[in-house]
Amino acid sequence: MGINIWNWGEIDKGVREKILNRAQNNIDAVMDAVRPIITAVQQRGDPALLQFTKEFDKTEVKGGLRVTEAEFAEARESLDPDLVKAIRSCAGYVRKHHMQQMAHVKPLWFEEVQPGVYAGEKITPVDSVGLYVPRGKGAFPSVMYMLCLPAVVAGVKKIVVVTPPTPEGGVDAASLVAADACGVREVYKVGGAQAIAAL
């Protein structure tokens, strides 16, 4: 796979239009594939999520879609204690970083830009956030804490995570330990477009 380099002044109008429209063309193709998934999730809810998980991830979800407290405990117990310690340590560094960022944020400030005219900013966290932690051939516990901790530190009240299930139908243990280290308890075993539609 190579990189295409274009000199804008040397290419014709047709090539320019193709370059400018390439993202839209890709989006249109994806939307055609995703639209039926979104509709199915809207109309059928959890049964559609389970069907798509079986179809696309080639697995059946173990237990319910939502990770249980027993599964969080099982994840902690299944990992080497040094790995659990490392995940918690890394999450602690990320938490500290975002707390330091927050120390520099003024939640509310105004200044008079001219007599009687004020401009300013009020910063408030969103009420809820849906986070997607990917899974491919491996696990990404670092993505879990790098997504969750900014929301936790900002004060988001409802944090929901979706992540594709393992071949065994659960959630990667290291990712669950990372969610636990963040204090995030609402994790669902679902990925792909169907997970985004569910959020």
Side-chain angles (χ1 to χ4, degrees), residues 63-77:
L65 285 167
R66 185 171 178 172
V67 173
T68 64
E69 289 301 318
E71 288 170 300
F72 276 104
E74 183 181 315
R76 283 188 301 272
E77 295 302 316

Side-chain angles (χ1 to χ4, degrees), residues 171-194:
V171 171
D172 166 67
S175 293
L176 282 185
V177 167
D180 185 51
C182 299
V184 172
R185 312 309 289 173
E186 195 167 346
V187 178
Y188 294 89
K189 305 167 216 169
V190 62
Q194 61 272 22

